[in-house]
Amino acid sequence: MRYCDGPLLVLAGAGSGKTRVITAKIAHLIEQGCDPAQVVAITFTNKAAREMRERAQALLGRQGRTEVASKLVISTFHAFGLLLLRREASAAGLRPGFSILTPGDLEGVVAELVATADRVRARAAQWRISAWKNALVTPAAALAQAQSEEETVAARAYANYDEALAAYRAVDFDDLIVRPLALLESDADAARRWQERCAHVLVDEYQDTNPAQYRLLRALVGARTPFTAVGDDDQAIYGWRGATLDNLAQLPRDYPDLKVVKLEQNYRSTVRILRSANALIGNNPKLFAKRLWSELGHGDAIRVTPMADDETEAQRVIDRIAGIKFERRANYADFAVLYRGNHQAQAFETALRAQGIAYEISGGQSIFERSEIKDIVAYLRLIANDDDDPAFLRAVAAPRRGVGRTTLARLGEVAAQRGESLFAATFAAELAEAVPVRQREALTEFCGLVNDLRHRALREPAGRLLDELLARSGYEAWLVDTLDKRDAQARTKSVRDFTGWLARKGEADSRNLVELTQMVALVTMLEEREGERADAVRLSTIHAAKGLEFPHVFVVGLEEGVLPHREAVDAENVEEERRLMYVALTRAQQSLHLSWCRTRKRAGERVDCRPSRFIGELVQEDLRYADAPRTADEAAEEKVAGNARLASLKAMLSR
């Protein structure tokens, strides 16, 4: 089927090849004469965007069109918003060198606005403000809707929040959607420019869009631009962060000529796995009815095992992994252990380490969370925008220049009196009376370095300026002087890897230091590094596993109160928890193993548990319960698992 002339919704079931559909459509659009620079594909993660770009490049390469692939716009929603704001900074009321402040940067700002030193309370207010912005709720409306004292305080802070951002000449992540939307809806000329710029828009994971993202899509496509939305209402699992299925329901109403295409053949899982997944999700109301099917054979029975407790669960799951690996000559990377919450990982980490089995865990520390990288990024942000007070405070202290809290407090007083940034206040005449000469000279030298690099940032290669920054700031020498040798070497290497990557990125993409600084706020180095995944068992929350697949999947902790989560049950939101279970089941290709604990440690005490209601919603004839009579194959598998564990223990003892 080929359809390019109007609005299209592709309902892509789990494992149905939606990324292949999107990239094939991109190639077809270009083949039909569409300018590749006017094809815009938007998804939710940097990893998904990179994979989509790689597939599009490969497909276009086979068609002899390799040279056009680089012109495609394939990005996340937020990266696209940044692209638009860069080109429309003036129209959007921003300066070209605007900063993008992270939630960590803004935590202190929100804490001050809500007048609290309690980080938990400040973060809760910050989350509420973000949720209001993404739902396009104004400060006045938020205040009117507030139902508690905490919501009222947060709503009042919300009214002053954007003023605080403006003082820093900055935006937050939410602004990368909200500000482009506001511009396109209020400026007819800007809307016309971008609708012409976007001849065809493709949106992946459409079911995960929030109200602001849907409005942005509508503003981009206008009344005439064709678009393709690809999604699956059965995999909508991000309601807690603002995504809404209302966007799927709204599409046919906003676009009466919407064409709907269903992808129901699954190319990933066996019949038994899909049959239970279909039965489970069939308990939810449907926006669009569909039923997955597979030609990959009947497959193994789904194993359901009750465990005595969470420690026993971890040990038996790892034993089973060892047995399957030995029997089927599999790799550790073929296995995933999926759970509802991060806290469930600890028992599995302990069991894996005890047997010397390599593992990867989702949510591992990004390189941008390392203190040395935060220090360098602070310098870059300040070079791009000297009104960025959070960046100033971090950079001026790395390395310490004899500028302590007292000096910074006095500098802050001068800045407040003058209504200026900390950087600008450094050059104020009043500072001479407030700060001793030695500290003033240190501040002036620091600001002089920043000024020099900023004046050259738009015209000189980023790599040269980064090398100069490290040399003139004395940052690496400071690491050596203040840390033990091993830690200093590790952090120095981390810094050099980071600046080297930035330099290469700048050269390859023709980006200057300011543009690279804005990009840094949107990407993670872990996703940019090349190389194959290690041969390791994957431990992951179900949320983080969405979009992935594994030959052998263990879904653990299937108890009432865990999955479905007790808060979701109390809020009568079991439907999203069921979709989460559906996502977990459909990660499995060959074998699926489910387990629950009779008791689980909670708040330091043992509590009795009941199996999740979702187990009872599966096709019972396709389940094999652990207390049922074992088949000959199962007995052989358990024997193999025992032998593998014994061999592992012997290997450990011989080391």
Side-chain angles (χ1 to χ4, degrees):
M1 174 183 291
R2 284 165 173 73
Y3 182 76
C4 301
D5 301 326
L8 171 67
L9 172 62
V10 179
L11 290 170
S16 61
K18 65 181 177 59
T19 304
R20 177 178 56 83
V21 168
I22 293 173
T23 53
K25 182 152 191 176
I26 291 172
H28 179 70
L29 288 169
I30 293 172
E31 186 179 352
Q32 294 301 304
C34 190
D35 182 350
Q38 294 182 299
V39 176
V40 177
I42 303 176
T43 186
F44 278 83
T45 67
N46 293 313
K47 181 180 178 181
R50 188 182 69 236
E51 179 184 356
M52 193 181 297
R53 178 172 291 280
E54 289 171 350
R55 290 199 189 186
Q57 287 174 334
L59 188 56
L60 290 168
R62 289 196 293 272
Q63 295 179 356
R65 297 170 176 267
T66 305
E67 75 287 349
V68 306
S70 61
K71 299 178 182 179
L72 296 169
V73 177
I74 300 178
S75 71
T76 64
F77 263 104
H78 291 88
F80 181 82
L82 175 58
L83 170 68
L84 189 152
L85 287 180
R86 275 181 183 158
R87 298 186 181 179
E88 303 283 353
S90 178
L94 295 169
R95 297 187 184 182
F98 63 87
S99 293
I100 304 169
L101 298 186
T102 68
D105 296 326
L106 290 164
E107 185 180 312
V109 174
V110 176
E112 184 176 340
L113 291 174
V114 297
T116 183
D118 185 342
R119 294 187 68 185
V120 173
R121 190 179 178 204
R123 287 176 177 174
Q126 195 172 358
W127 181 87
R128 285 190 178 95
I129 291 170
S130 176
W132 282 325
K133 291 182 79 167
N134 281 294
L136 302 174
V137 175
T138 65
L143 187 59
Q145 297 169 9
Q147 297 182 351
S148 67
E149 178 62 24
E150 287 190 346
E151 286 190 359
T152 300
V153 170
R156 288 173 179 156
Y158 182 22
N160 299 314
Y161 178 79
D162 283 341
E163 291 181 10
L165 284 173
Y168 292 140
R169 278 170 43 195
V171 298
D172 63 14
F173 280 169
D174 302 323
D175 284 328
L176 298 180
I177 305 297
V178 175
R179 277 181 171 267
L181 171 61
L183 174 67
L184 296 179
E185 289 189 340
S186 63
D187 187 329
D189 289 337
R192 184 172 57 255
R193 284 196 299 273
W194 283 90
Q195 288 166 10
E196 292 173 356
R197 167 74 176 74
C198 304
H200 199 107
V201 180
L202 303 98
V203 180
D204 191 17
E205 302 288 7
Y206 176 76
Q207 77 282 347
D208 294 334
T209 55
N210 61 36
Q213 289 161 341
Y214 177 50
R215 286 262 295 271
L216 179 59
L217 170 65
R218 290 190 61 191
L220 285 173
V221 302
R224 296 182 304 278
T225 301
F227 68 86
T228 302
V230 183
D232 181 8
D233 51 329
D234 291 335
Q235 296 186 75
I237 59 174
Y238 292 111
W240 53 275
R241 70 181 189 193
T244 173
L245 277 174
D246 290 345
N247 289 350
L248 262 173
Q250 190 65 31
L251 265 183
R253 294 195 285 267
D254 289 340
Y255 299 94
D257 56 341
L258 179 75
K259 186 175 183 61
V260 179
V261 175
K262 299 177 183 179
L263 302 182
E264 296 175 292
Q265 181 175 2
N266 176 286
Y267 299 95
R268 174 188 299 158
S269 306
T270 62
V271 170
R272 270 178 161 157
I273 293 171
L274 286 185
R275 192 154 55 195
S276 275
N278 284 332
L280 173 82
I281 205 64
N283 290 281
N284 275 3
K286 292 284 189 179
L287 283 176
F288 302 93
K290 67 178 184 305
R291 193 170 185 84
L292 296 183
W293 58 276
S294 170
E295 293 182 338
L296 297 180
H298 209 54
D300 298 338
I302 299 171
R303 299 289 295 269
V304 182
T305 308
M307 306 289 188
D309 53 40
D310 36 352
E311 293 178 359
T312 303
E313 180 182 44
Q315 187 58 65
R316 290 188 63 182
V317 166
I318 303 312
D319 286 348
R320 181 61 58 85
I321 287 174
I324 296 174
K325 179 181 185 298
F326 186 84
E327 179 191 6
R328 303 196 184 188
R329 302 182 184 278
N331 297 314
Y332 283 125
D334 294 335
F335 297 88
V337 179
L338 307 183
Y339 36 78
R340 178 64 174 83
N342 276 311
H343 65 279
Q344 295 171 258
Q346 183 175 350
F348 293 93
E349 289 191 79
T350 301
L352 287 161
R353 284 197 300 265
Q355 294 201 35
I357 297 175
Y359 66 90
E360 292 181 340
I361 186 165
S362 66
Q365 187 188 46
S366 163
I367 192 171
F368 291 117
E369 292 301 311
R370 299 176 188 173
S371 62
E372 65 272 18
I373 303 304
K374 287 184 175 181
D375 292 340
I376 300 304
V377 169
Y379 274 98
L380 300 181
R381 283 170 41 186
L382 196 58
I383 289 168
N385 174 14
D386 59 23
D387 284 342
D388 191 337
D389 282 355
F392 180 97
L393 291 171
R394 185 166 193 116
V396 78
R400 301 191 184 282
R401 299 169 165 82
V403 177
R405 292 184 179 180
T406 301
T407 298
L408 291 174
R410 291 174 179 171
L411 177 63
E413 291 171 0
V414 172
Q417 290 168 3
R418 295 174 60 90
E420 294 179 337
S421 67
L422 295 173
F423 189 95
T426 299
F427 302 98
E430 297 95 314
L431 198 66
E433 298 178 6
V435 174
V437 174
R438 188 169 68 85
Q439 283 78 14
R440 286 206 318 275
E441 289 177 346
L443 287 170
T444 301
E445 182 180 356
F446 168 72
C447 292
L449 168 62
V450 172
N451 265 332
D452 180 44
L453 294 176
R454 179 170 63 254
H455 291 153
R456 298 157 55 195
L458 298 180
R459 63 179 184 274
E460 295 188 30
R464 178 193 302 165
L465 297 177
L466 288 164
D467 288 341
E468 193 170 328
L469 169 62
L470 294 180
R472 291 175 59 185
S473 68
Y475 185 80
E476 291 177 319
W478 176 61
L479 292 178
V480 172
D481 291 342
T482 57
L483 303 173
D484 64 64
K485 183 177 179 180
R486 185 174 181 178
D487 197 11
Q489 288 176 340
R491 295 195 186 198
T492 300
K493 182 180 185 301
S494 176
V495 167
R496 283 294 177 178
D497 287 346
F498 174 60
T499 56
W501 171 75
L502 273 182
R504 293 191 298 274
K505 192 75 173 170
E507 184 175 356
D509 297 349
S510 300
R511 295 188 183 186
N512 60 47
L513 197 60
V514 173
E515 292 171 331
L516 289 172
T517 300
Q518 293 173 330
M519 176 204 69
V520 160
L522 298 176
V523 301
T524 65
M525 181 66 81
L526 291 180
E527 292 184 348
E528 292 291 335
R529 289 187 306 187
E530 296 180 356
E532 295 184 358
R533 185 182 151 210
D535 184 24
V537 175
R538 173 66 66 91
L539 303 180
S540 176
T541 62
I542 302 171
H543 283 101
K546 185 168 176 287
L548 303 178
E549 58 186 32
F550 303 88
H552 311 286
V553 169
F554 292 76
V555 186
V556 301
L558 287 176
E559 299 126 35
E560 287 293 305
V562 178
L563 184 62
H565 196 277
R566 59 183 175 277
E567 291 182 5
V569 174
D570 292 344
E572 299 183 347
N573 190 24
V574 174
E575 291 175 8
E576 181 157 324
E577 294 291 293
R578 186 175 284 113
R579 292 194 292 268
L580 193 60
M581 178 69 169
Y582 175 82
V583 167
L585 300 182
T586 54
R587 299 312 93 198
Q589 296 171 301
Q590 300 172 20
S591 74
L592 178 61
H593 309 258
L594 314 178
S595 60
W596 63 278
C597 298
R598 292 190 172 94
T599 68
R600 181 174 293 276
K601 189 177 291 185
R602 193 173 292 161
E605 296 183 0
R606 285 278 165 201
V607 297
D608 293 334
C609 303
R610 294 181 294 115
S612 169
R613 69 190 71 185
F614 297 149
I615 296 175
E617 294 178 0
L618 306 180
V619 177
Q620 298 301 301
E621 65 197 59
D622 287 333
L623 307 185
R624 174 69 64 186
Y625 288 87
D627 51 3
R630 292 182 303 169
T631 66
D633 288 344
E634 290 168 341
E637 183 181 304
E638 290 190 10
K639 183 177 180 180
V640 168
N643 290 338
R645 187 180 180 197
L646 179 60
S648 176
L649 289 171
K650 287 180 178 178
M652 291 174 63
L653 292 171
S654 65
R655 290 173 187 167

